[in-house]
Amino acid sequence: MSKVLVVDDDLVFRELLKEALESEGHDVLSAENGLEALSILEQDRPDIILLDIMMPKLDGFGLLAARKDQIPVIVISAIDSEDGRIKGYELGADDFLTKPFSIKELLVRMTALQRRVELTRAESSSELGSTGCDIKFDDMQYCVSIASRQVVLTQTEFKLFKYLFERKGEVITKQELQRSVLQKDLGRFDRNLDMHISNTRRKLADTQLPKTLINTVRGQGYSFAS
């Protein structure tokens, strides 16, 4: 099962596509334009984006240019011109499917694209392992260098990541992280720490690094992959 973000200004089309994808076991998010999609991407991370081009407020090309993630994108559009396809690919689209299309073909393309993404991530993990997880910290820029890749974090994210790294192999409770890094006690409904960890994992994934560098230990806390 995958989490899919459908970005299209045609409500009927969105609903039909959502129903078809959910019937295949996918979790579907929807947006009616690029601005709404960007807002969703700030809070959530789908596995794949299905993106229309012609939309109000911010069109598909605008979204491709504005986004900061590396989530795979299949453009689904009635526009079937060479220039349009080339522009989409230049802006980071991974595939292009012309409307109308069959759900069967869309599912095949989604599977093929996700397979390529997983292969790339597996190669990245292999590269990371071959380096012995050589990690360098830039305390001035809040930047972490891992296996020739750089991840820029916020100050809090950087401190959390470094705290966990320096204690890799240990399970660090949420209470300890909250007090040692965020400098306050953990409230019963406080999700601030979880949000920082989630954002850090997203940035790792966006840089083609494994999110599993930071592991969740259910009922206990977090640990850095040893």
Side-chain angles (χ1 to χ4, degrees):
M1 182 184 74
S2 301
K3 182 180 290 187
V4 183
L5 173 58
V6 177
V7 189
D8 197 296
D9 64 330
D10 186 332
L11 175 60
V12 174
F13 176 81
R14 281 203 318 272
E15 290 301 315
L16 288 173
L17 187 54
K18 182 175 187 290
E19 182 179 348
L21 291 172
E22 287 181 340
S23 70
E24 295 292 330
H26 296 285
D27 183 14
V28 180
L29 304 170
S30 297
E32 64 179 359
N33 56 61
L35 287 178
E36 186 176 338
L38 286 175
S39 178
I40 290 173
L41 291 172
E42 289 179 357
Q43 307 296 326
D44 212 330
R45 181 179 174 84
D47 298 295
I48 193 166
I49 299 173
L50 304 181
L51 178 65
D52 188 22
I53 293 299
M54 301 302 293
M55 296 179 292
K57 297 184 179 181
L58 184 67
D59 65 12
F61 293 139
L63 173 59
L64 286 171
R67 72 193 185 114
K68 300 177 181 179
D69 58 76
Q70 296 181 358
I71 299 169
V73 176
I74 298 178
V75 172
I76 49 172
S77 176
I79 297 177
D80 187 21
S81 68
E82 182 180 36
D83 288 344
R85 290 194 299 273
I86 290 173
K87 183 174 181 179
Y89 289 132
E90 288 178 340
L91 289 171
D94 299 277
D95 201 355
F96 199 107
L97 191 56
T98 304
K99 295 178 181 178
F101 53 82
S102 72
I103 292 298
K104 184 176 181 180
E105 180 179 5
L106 174 62
L107 291 170
V108 168
R109 289 181 182 239
M110 288 171 57
T111 300
L113 179 54
Q114 288 182 291
R115 190 182 298 122
R116 293 200 301 270
V117 170
E118 289 170 1
L119 178 61
T120 300
R121 288 175 179 170
E123 291 172 347
S124 173
S125 297
S126 176
E127 176 187 343
L128 182 63
S130 67
T131 66
C133 198
D134 183 24
I135 298 181
K136 297 178 180 179
F137 294 89
D138 185 334
D139 295 274
M140 300 298 293
Q141 301 295 324
Y142 306 126
C143 177
V144 181
S145 299
I146 309 172
S148 77
R149 294 179 173 86
Q150 291 189 332
V151 186
V152 179
L153 303 172
T154 66
Q155 182 179 8
T156 300
E157 293 163 0
F158 180 86
K159 289 181 177 179
L160 283 168
F161 190 92
K162 190 173 184 180
Y163 192 92
L164 288 168
F165 173 76
E166 290 173 344
R167 294 156 182 80
K168 56 180 176 290
E170 302 177 26
V171 177
I172 309 301
T173 66
K174 290 185 178 182
Q175 289 85 350
E176 180 179 344
L177 284 171
Q178 186 87 8
R179 290 169 182 163
S180 299
V181 180
L182 274 62
Q183 302 294 313
K184 63 179 181 178
D185 289 331
L186 181 65
R188 181 179 177 184
F189 301 106
D190 191 342
R191 303 288 294 174
N192 201 29
L193 174 64
D194 296 326
M195 179 193 70
H196 288 302
I197 295 292
S198 177
N199 288 340
T200 302
R201 285 172 169 159
R202 174 179 55 78
K203 291 177 181 179
L204 288 169
D206 288 344
T207 320
Q208 299 298 303
L209 289 165
K211 294 187 290 185
T212 49
L213 279 175
I214 300 177
N215 296 316
T216 299
V217 182
R218 188 176 296 275
Q220 299 183 54
Y222 296 103
S223 69
F224 195 94
S226 56

